[in-house]
């Protein structure tokens, strides 16, 4: 009877170990992101803080790729990057991309002068696809590139953030 209990214990421990390893792989503990892409693994973009999903570019009805920041009003990291991201709407390339900044808690796109009260379902679907954990800030550039969190906040370098955004938009536009 003791042998059965020991073998059952070993089987249970082995099953728990397998569950932990699978959870670690799915959550990116080993440096792998299982978000989108043909292979299901996102790869770093050389010279950038963004990841390449391997997905095809997501565009609006006019063929312009989406460049979206998802944030909230209460997130200090979102507040830190907000104005820098919103500058993109004034750049020369702004007519070639669909720039949106959605504050998820208010439902407002801060790029437009209107006060929206709800994020459109198709835009919310983009957020959920590229960040199923629901973290903020989340940046999705054409569905081909994304980043969760700020890349240069620890250094306090908003200029590096802006240059990174421009760099990835350049890659997006080819």
């Amino acid at each position: 009877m003791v042998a059965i209990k020991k073998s059952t214990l070993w089987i249970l421990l082995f099953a728990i170990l397998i569950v932990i390893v699978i959870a670690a792989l799915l959550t990116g503990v080993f440096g792998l992101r299982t978000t989108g892409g043909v292979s299901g693994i996102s790869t770093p973009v050389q010279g950038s803080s963004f990841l390449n999903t391997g997905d095809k570019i997501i565009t609006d009805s006019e063929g312009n790729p989406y460049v979206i920041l998802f944030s909230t009003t209460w997130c200090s990291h979102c507040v830190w990057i907000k104005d820098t991201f919103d500058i993109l709407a004034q750049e020369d390339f702004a007519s070639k991309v669909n720039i949106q900044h959605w504050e998820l808690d208010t439902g407002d796109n801060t790029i437009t002068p209107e006060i929206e009260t709800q994020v459109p379902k198709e835009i919310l679907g983009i957020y959920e696809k590229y960040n199923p954990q629901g973290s903020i800030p989340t940046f999705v550039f054409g569905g081909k590139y994304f980043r969760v969190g700020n890349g240069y906040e620890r250094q306090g370098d908003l200029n590096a953030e802006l240059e990174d955004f421009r760099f990835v938009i350049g890659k997006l536009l080819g």
Side-chain angles (χ1 to χ4, degrees), residues 88-97 99 165-166 169-170 173:
L88 296 175
Q90 307 304 317
E91 300 277 327
D92 291 337
F93 53 72
S95 64
K96 298 176 188 169
V97 294
I99 300 171
F165 297 152
R166 290 174 177 153
I169 289 170
L173 294 175

Side-chain angles (χ1 to χ4, degrees), residues 34-121:
T34 55
T35 306
V38 175
S39 67
I41 297 175
S42 299
T43 57
V45 174
Q46 189 171 6
S48 174
S49 62
F50 279 75
L51 296 174
N52 184 334
T53 65
D55 288 351
K56 292 183 179 180
I57 296 174
I58 301 170
T59 60
D60 62 15
S61 60
E62 296 176 15
N64 296 323
Y66 286 106
V67 173
I68 307 173
L69 166 57
F70 296 97
S71 71
T72 63
T73 58
W74 52 264
C75 164
S76 62
H77 307 289
C78 302
V79 171
W80 183 81
I81 196 64
K82 172 187 172 36
D83 293 336
T84 301
F85 179 86
D86 291 359
I87 288 171
L88 296 175
Q90 307 304 317
E91 300 277 327
D92 291 337
F93 53 72
S95 64
K96 298 176 188 169
V97 294
N98 186 332
I99 300 171
Q100 300 182 20
H101 174 181
W102 289 97
E103 290 182 335
L104 299 172
D105 56 332
T106 64
D108 186 38
N109 178 1
T110 66
I111 300 294
T112 65
E114 299 82 29
I115 303 296
E116 294 88 3
T117 58
Q118 186 174 0
V119 181
K121 287 182 184 179

